[in-house]
Amino acid sequence: QVQLVESGGGLVQPGGSLRLSCVASGIIFTRYTMNWYRQASGKQRELVAAISSGGSTNYADSVKGRFTISRDNAKNTVSLQMNSLRLEDTAVYYCNARTTSGPSGPARSYWGQGTQVTVSS
């Protein structure tokens, strides 16, 4: 019933750009903080960027100034614009929707299936 579907991954050269999108369904989108995580081979999953329902953003130091997260509440979509890509950005990127517990119910967290981003010359 709940689905997060990522798209936009692929192969890009160093210094290039890529835009990831995630479309959510089955949730009240405006209640959720939306996040992009990534996991490189042999490494732990890390939070790349987050955006609250009100539009406040946070970024990992490694991507600050290069990546931009945005959301379109009318389309239930969160995007990640990635510029000046580096080899170390290679990873599977995951969309995540998260709420804390409150009057509307318990804390919830949902994940997309991931999309591969490969930066290579």
Side-chain angles (χ1 to χ4, degrees), residues 4 15 18 20 38 46 54 69 71 96-97 104 106 116 118-119:
L4 303 178
L18 211 57
L20 307 182
R38 69 185 181 188
E46 64 172 338
I69 189 171
R71 68 190 294 160
N96 169 259
S104 297
Q116 176 71 48
T118 302
V119 184

Side-chain angles (χ1 to χ4, degrees), residues 3-22:
Q3 282 192 307
L4 303 178
V5 181
E6 301 101 332
S7 62
L11 176 65
V12 65
Q13 294 182 343
S17 296
L18 211 57
R19 185 176 179 88
L20 307 182
S21 294
C22 170

Side-chain angles (χ1 to χ4, degrees), residues 5-54:
V5 181
E6 301 101 332
S7 62
L11 176 65
V12 65
Q13 294 182 343
S17 296
L18 211 57
R19 185 176 179 88
L20 307 182
S21 294
C22 170
V23 179
S25 60
I27 63 170
I28 302 174
F29 187 75
T30 55
R31 296 181 180 178
Y32 287 78
T33 291
M34 300 300 298
N35 312 284
W36 285 99
Y37 287 79
R38 69 185 181 188
Q39 187 167 26
S41 295
K43 298 183 178 179
Q44 293 185 334
R45 187 174 297 185
E46 64 172 338
L47 179 65
V48 177
I51 184 166
S52 72
S53 61

Side-chain angles (χ1 to χ4, degrees), residues 10 15 17 38 59 63-64 102:
S17 296
R38 69 185 181 188
Y59 298 92
V63 308
K64 191 170 295 184

Side-chain angles (χ1 to χ4, degrees), residues 8 10 25 29 44 48 59 61 76-77 82 85 99 102 108 117:
S25 60
F29 187 75
Q44 293 185 334
V48 177
Y59 298 92
D61 287 342
N76 285 12
T77 299
M82 304 185 294
L85 283 162
T99 61
R108 293 183 174 90
V117 172

